[in-house]
Amino acid sequence: MFLEQKPLTVRNTCSYLCNNLDILEHDEEHTTTFTFVHLSIVEVEHLSMQHSHSIIASWMSEGVPDNTVNITQAKWCSSSEDKIVLVLTSNIGFQIFDRTGSKELMTHHFVGESTEADATFCKGISYNQKKIYIGTSEGGVIVVEQLSEILDLKNPLQTSAITDLCCGGEGHMVAADEAGLMVVWTPEHHEYIAFGRKGVPCLSVKIYKDLLIGGFASGHLKIYSISKSTFLIDIAAHAQSVMTMDVTVPENLLLSASEDGTVAVWQLPKETDSKVLISNVFSCGVSDKQLCGGHFYEKGTKFAVTAYDWNEIIPFKKISQAELE
């Protein structure tokens, strides 16, 4: 059972973007940092036991007016130097900042110009084995190494815009797209396995052990076995689009949040090599809100959500039955 806590008021409202919340925890500093996108800026909110403060990370590029940049996602990643960096994607490329979001480390702009009918943008961020992966509107993935080397990868099964990326164990990476496909591939070996079918956009994707989990614009959660390449479960989880998901391994929980204003927590199986059973352990509505971001923190004992055009981060805390009574 989770209980809604006092909201954290922030300086800006949250843009209507899927997966629009990321959380970074600093165990040594005893701080939790939240980040989300507001139009052409990213708000970074630092919260500690003593106080909170925020900074604004904006697109840094000479000759590029702020009003022409639309940031599509912000996420912390581990770089090849074992440093935590903040990655921003946008309609003109991507930028990488230091952990605080105050120092620009790398900028990559698309070459040439695109029309509105054929707009180019980046969306979807993940990392694994000290490499950062960034999705593109052409269905490709940009790989960043050493914060300087850039490699463009393209799997032949995806031609629609990437909506989300997720890296798992054994070198797996999954790319979800606007057509509704989820393609699991190992970039080093160029092996591709497609899951799902074209039709409804897949807006959020996660890998949990051997399970591939997709959140769709239909409000459904669809779960597949990666090793067996088989479909397992279809859950009518929400009435409208699943805007974001998150997984916490210590608690074996899945979080899903929707633009219909509902947030749900699902119990995942500890083992995925036998019959897979998933149960709903918590669900509630956040009044008059279109949720667009959600993330676990503190080892799955807490999670937070963001909502479109709302200047609060709404936290939830896990409580026992005895605490309820």
Side-chain angles (χ1 to χ4, degrees), residues 24-31 33-35 42-46 55 57 75-79 82-88 96-105 147:
L24 178 66
E25 297 181 76
H26 315 282
D27 293 334
E28 295 180 358
E29 302 173 14
H30 303 289
T31 61
T33 307
F34 305 83
T35 188
V42 172
E43 180 161 341
V44 181
E45 190 78 23
H46 300 276
I55 66 169
K75 184 178 179 66
W76 279 287
C77 298
S78 177
S79 71
D82 288 328
K83 295 180 179 179
I84 300 298
V85 296
L86 179 62
V87 182
L88 312 184
I96 300 178
F97 291 77
D98 66 355
R99 189 182 74 174
T100 66
S102 58
K103 181 181 179 181
E104 177 197 351
L105 303 176
L147 295 184

Side-chain angles (χ1 to χ4, degrees), residues 11-44:
R11 294 163 60 182
N12 296 282
T13 60
C14 192
S15 290
Y16 184 75
L17 298 166
C18 56
N19 307 305
N20 196 4
L21 176 66
D22 198 21
I23 298 178
L24 178 66
E25 297 181 76
H26 315 282
D27 293 334
E28 295 180 358
E29 302 173 14
H30 303 289
T31 61
T32 303
T33 307
F34 305 83
T35 188
F36 63 89
V37 176
H38 169 76
L39 301 178
S40 62
I41 64 173
V42 172
E43 180 161 341
V44 181

Side-chain angles (χ1 to χ4, degrees), residues 48-298:
S48 67
M49 296 179 64
Q50 289 77 27
H51 65 280
S52 66
H53 70 280
S54 64
I55 66 169
I56 302 298
S58 59
W59 196 267
M60 295 183 180
S61 185
E62 294 184 4
V64 179
D66 288 345
N67 60 3
T68 65
V69 178
N70 293 314
I71 297 179
T72 55
Q73 192 173 1
K75 184 178 179 66
W76 279 287
C77 298
S78 177
S79 71
S80 56
E81 290 83 9
D82 288 328
K83 295 180 179 179
I84 300 298
V85 296
L86 179 62
V87 182
L88 312 184
T89 58
S90 77
N91 59 316
I92 63 172
F94 67 87
Q95 284 194 326
I96 300 178
F97 291 77
D98 66 355
R99 189 182 74 174
T100 66
S102 58
K103 181 181 179 181
E104 177 197 351
L105 303 176
M106 180 182 183
T107 296
H108 176 75
H109 286 163
F110 292 121
V111 178
E113 297 182 356
S114 59
T115 64
E116 289 187 6
D118 187 29
T120 302
F121 59 89
C122 288
K123 184 77 168 70
I125 307 168
S126 192
Y127 65 96
N128 194 15
Q129 298 176 349
K130 301 182 180 180
K131 297 178 182 179
I132 298 172
Y133 300 92
I134 298 168
T136 74
S137 56
E138 298 174 342
V141 175
I142 298 171
V143 184
V144 181
E145 296 186 68
Q146 308 294 331
L147 295 184
S148 59
E149 301 177 18
I150 296 177
L151 176 65
D152 286 318
L153 298 181
K154 178 71 176 173
N155 80 68
L157 304 181
Q158 284 180 308
T159 57
S160 298
I162 301 299
T163 54
D164 196 19
L165 296 177
C166 181
C167 292
E170 301 179 2
H172 286 148
M173 181 182 69
V174 57
D177 65 27
E178 289 185 351
L181 286 180
M182 296 179 290
V183 178
V184 175
W185 49 312
T186 50
E188 287 76 13
H189 301 98
H190 302 287
E191 299 173 349
Y192 313 101
I193 307 173
F195 295 86
R197 59 183 181 181
K198 293 185 177 181
V200 179
C202 180
L203 302 179
S204 189
V205 67
K206 294 296 175 187
I207 294 176
Y208 169 77
K209 298 183 179 180
D210 184 50
L211 300 182
L212 171 64
I213 308 170
F216 289 79
S218 61
H220 286 228
L221 301 176
K222 297 185 180 182
I223 303 174
Y224 298 79
S225 166
I226 297 175
S227 62
K228 299 177 182 178
S229 300
T230 55
F231 170 73
L232 298 176
I233 303 172
D234 186 348
I235 304 172
H238 301 275
Q240 297 179 34
S241 298
V242 177
M243 295 293 287
T244 189
M245 298 189 304
D246 193 30
V247 168
T248 175
V249 175
E251 297 288 330
N252 303 307
L253 296 175
L254 168 70
L255 171 72
S256 64
S258 168
E259 67 175 358
D260 67 8
T262 60
V263 57
V265 178
W266 311 84
Q267 184 69 61
L268 298 172
K270 293 183 179 180
E271 303 296 332
T272 60
D273 54 357
S274 57
K275 187 174 182 180
V276 175
L277 296 176
I278 295 174
S279 59
N280 177 251
V281 295
F282 174 76
S283 182
C284 80
V286 182
S287 179
D288 300 322
K289 306 289 189 302
Q290 291 178 291
L291 302 182
C292 52
H295 206 287
F296 282 113
Y297 61 109
E298 293 193 11

